[in-house]
Amino acid sequence: MLKLRHVLNKSRSLRRHISALYITGDKANENYVTLQPYLDFAGTFRDQPALEQSIQSRGLNINLETLLRKFQLYQTHHEQLQRLDQERDALTKQLKSLTKSGAAATELEALKERGKALRNDVKTLKQKLYPIEDDFIHDFLHLPNALHADCPVGQQEQLIYRRTLPNAEKEASSHLECTEMVQFMDNNRYYMMKQAAHFDIQAMQALAAYFVNQGDFVQTSNPDFVRCVLLEANATPMDHYQLVCEEQLQNKLNTAYLTGGAAFESYLGAMTKLCVYPSVLPLRYVCCGRSYNRAEAELNGPTPSLYTATQTNAVQSFVATLKPEEADEELQLILHLATDFYKALDVPFRIVYAPAHSLTPAESLRASIEVYAPSLQRYVCVGRISNYSDFVSKRILFSARRDKHYDFLHLVGGPVLYTTRLIAALIEHNVPLDKCKLLGLPQAPQSSQSQLAQDIQEFKDLFK
């Protein structure tokens, strides 16, 4: 059995000077507004020391004091604009009232002239506000999520679980030497054969089935392509995925990227502007598909191998909850299910909380599932689960309705399995892929040759 893996060549990373997530009024004539995120200024700036710690721990080049000055300038102009709009509304009501009461023409004319002056003032102030708004809002959207209390702020990860210690002194050959199961060309192209090809599909299906049966997850099928506005909503760096060249592009800002169906971002389109009732929560979804995140693969370099391949089959999880403590519980549930799966494989692995500097701006906490790679003499990430709190939900307007109040949902999820990296590690550990115990995979009954021959004979007798 032969499987071909092919990924498009890397393109140059384009620097975006304009955001697809937030478009000011002066640019709305050229590009339509796809999504208007909820901008929580009060909630973001409420705890400035915690925000500053998040920025510093992640190593981001953001000057919070400069941003706060921009915010004050933006607020000043925005309040002036609100006062002018309120004055215009009051003037309109007064004009209607005087017209009905038969007021003098000179008085009505004076009010109309005042209305024209206010309209011109609003137009002039809006033109002044657009560049101020554009400068501040785009910097505001670059602010990171608040860090979770369990997230390590130093340089080292925090160990939370380990299954068997690896034998670091034992020399192991690379999985690339097993040419009967793997033919590796480059990071974009490789072949899997025999047991490796079977395991690639079966492991993915087995883990998804285990989540459905044991964790009450619903299996979905997601799109392989995601628009730029959703990548920005998730604060995903644009160079993580491949830009798609479209012949007929309606919105030049909102380009498409090849993410694969087993990407967290591929769920966001279905959740955008979605409002649910609390009774349906938590929402638990799992998906099998491709993953094309090339940035993650580069971490396992520099030598090209299955550890650095830019495409892999994967199992993606996605959970939405109403409260932050419920999100913590769901993250532990996903980790528990994933731990059961990896324990059955009998391979050295561990689960760690990744340090803050390795998180994306949207993540508040990341648990990384790592299998020991003998050829690299270190652990390699084969899955990860992240807590996004309500950071992403505010940007895509994903909420729950309680009476007349709306709450933004807390999101948890991530790829719990990268099959390609797991196969590479299992080969190096000399684990027979056709003998691996896969939780969730139904076991076919073992029929003897004599029983099979008897069944065939009985079938023939029916037609005598």
Side-chain angles (χ1 to χ4, degrees):
M1 184 176 180
L2 185 67
K3 294 185 68 180
L4 171 65
R5 299 295 179 85
H6 177 71
V7 178
L8 299 174
N9 292 329
K10 291 183 180 180
S11 64
R12 294 182 179 178
S13 178
L14 300 178
R15 184 179 179 184
R16 297 177 58 82
H17 298 280
I18 302 176
S19 172
L21 184 60
Y22 190 89
I23 300 176
T24 52
D26 56 332
K27 300 182 180 68
N29 294 329
E30 300 177 1
N31 301 280
Y32 63 86
V33 178
T34 307
L35 179 64
Q36 192 74 21
Y38 173 73
L39 302 175
D40 186 11
F41 300 134
T44 302
F45 295 129
R46 182 180 297 118
D47 191 350
Q48 294 182 19
L51 179 59
E52 183 66 42
Q53 182 193 28
S54 179
I55 294 172
Q56 297 297 329
S57 300
R58 296 170 189 264
L60 300 178
N61 186 22
I62 298 176
N63 190 318
L64 187 56
E65 292 183 1
T66 302
L67 183 60
L68 289 173
R69 287 196 293 269
K70 291 182 180 180
F71 177 52
Q72 292 176 354
L73 182 62
Y74 167 79
Q75 269 192 319
T76 300
H77 283 75
H78 193 68
E79 289 171 357
Q80 291 178 0
L81 185 62
Q82 286 182 325
R83 285 195 294 269
L84 288 177
D85 287 335
Q86 291 172 359
E87 189 175 350
R88 287 184 66 191
D89 291 340
L91 187 64
T92 300
K93 292 178 181 179
Q94 183 182 4
L95 186 59
K96 288 181 179 180
S97 177
L98 292 176
T99 302
K100 289 181 180 180
S101 61
T106 55
E107 186 177 0
L108 294 177
E109 190 64 27
L111 290 176
K112 290 180 180 180
E113 290 298 323
R114 176 58 183 160
K116 292 179 181 179
L118 286 175
R119 183 181 59 189
N120 292 332
D121 291 342
V122 169
K123 184 177 180 180
T124 301
L125 186 58
K126 279 186 176 181
Q127 293 301 321
K128 291 182 179 180
L129 180 60
Y130 284 144
I132 297 173
E133 179 184 19
D134 191 66
D135 184 36
F136 163 67
I137 296 298
H138 292 160
D139 285 350
F140 176 80
L141 290 174
H142 282 91
L143 287 175
N145 195 357
L147 291 177
H148 193 278
D150 294 334
C151 180
V153 295
Q155 296 298 313
Q156 298 296 323
E157 66 274 358
Q158 179 184 341
L159 180 67
I160 59 176
Y161 179 84
R162 180 164 56 196
R163 172 76 171 182
T164 69
L165 289 172
N167 187 359
E169 296 180 357
K170 182 180 178 181
E171 294 184 4
S173 58
S174 171
H175 60 275
L176 298 181
E177 297 179 12
C178 186
T179 54
E180 62 179 9
M181 286 193 292
V182 177
Q183 289 187 14
F184 186 85
M185 306 300 178
D186 54 46
N187 284 333
N188 300 327
R189 201 164 39 115
Y190 59 91
Y191 302 85
M192 283 190 182
M193 298 165 290
K194 298 183 179 179
Q195 299 99 319
H198 285 285
F199 184 89
D200 191 27
I201 299 299
Q202 291 175 349
M204 177 177 59
Q205 295 174 341
L207 183 55
Y210 191 68
F211 269 64
V212 171
N213 297 327
Q214 301 298 322
D216 197 25
F217 280 69
V218 176
Q219 189 164 354
T220 63
S221 180
N222 298 340
D224 287 323
F225 302 93
V226 172
R227 288 291 173 185
C228 176
V229 64
L230 296 179
L231 294 185
E232 288 191 21
N234 196 51
T236 303
M238 297 300 160
D239 58 354
H240 281 198
Y241 296 109
Q242 173 73 38
L243 176 67
V244 177
C245 297
E246 301 175 79
E247 293 183 357
Q248 297 179 351
L249 184 61
Q250 295 181 352
N251 190 336
K252 296 180 180 179
L253 295 181
N254 199 17
T255 52
Y257 285 80
L258 178 64
T259 63
F264 184 81
E265 295 87 350
S266 66
Y267 270 108
L268 300 184
M271 308 302 164
T272 298
K273 298 182 181 179
L274 179 64
C275 181
V276 299
Y277 286 102
S279 58
V280 304
L281 298 174
L283 296 175
R284 298 190 184 108
Y285 298 123
V286 65
C287 173
C288 297
R290 297 282 195 270
S291 175
Y292 299 98
N293 192 319
R294 57 192 184 190
E296 286 188 359
E298 291 175 354
L299 297 175
N300 300 321
T303 304
S305 68
L306 290 183
Y307 296 123
T308 63
T310 54
Q311 175 187 351
T312 176
N313 277 333
V315 178
Q316 176 70 217
S317 60
F318 182 95
V319 179
T321 69
L322 187 62
K323 300 178 181 179
E325 54 270 19
E326 294 173 350
D328 293 337
E329 294 174 0
E330 293 299 319
L331 187 142
Q332 295 302 320
L333 171 63
I334 296 175
L335 287 179
H336 176 72
L337 296 173
T339 300
D340 289 345
F341 180 82
Y342 286 99
K343 280 166 109 176
L345 296 176
D346 195 23
V347 63
F349 77 96
R350 69 180 187 179
I351 300 176
V352 298
Y353 283 145
H357 66 82
S358 64
L359 305 184
T360 65
E363 293 174 303
S364 65
L365 177 68
R366 181 198 298 172
S368 180
I369 306 170
E370 301 177 342
V371 169
Y372 186 77
S375 65
L376 300 180
Q377 296 288 296
R378 60 184 176 88
Y379 284 90
V380 172
C381 176
V382 293
R384 55 180 174 82
I385 303 96
S386 302
N387 187 332
Y388 296 89
S389 65
D390 58 357
F391 183 87
V392 178
S393 295
K394 289 177 180 178
R395 296 180 172 213
I396 64 174
L397 307 181
F398 184 24
S399 61
R401 181 178 179 179
R402 292 192 298 174
D403 297 329
K404 295 182 180 180
H405 181 67
Y406 293 86
D407 293 321
F408 290 104
L409 300 182
H410 291 254
L411 304 185
V412 173
V416 290
L417 170 64
Y418 289 125
T419 60
T420 302
R421 301 176 200 170
L422 178 60
I423 289 172
L426 290 174
I427 292 175
E428 294 178 357
H429 282 285
N430 297 318
V431 176
L433 297 180
D434 56 342
K435 304 295 183 182
C436 287
K437 181 182 178 181
L438 295 174
L439 293 183
L441 192 66
Q443 301 296 323
Q446 301 294 328
S447 298
S448 64
Q449 291 293 330
S450 59
Q451 180 65 42
L452 180 60
Q454 182 180 349
D455 293 341
I456 294 174
Q457 185 60 44
E458 291 178 357
F459 180 76
K460 290 181 179 179
D461 292 341
L462 294 174
F463 295 92
K464 285 184 179 180

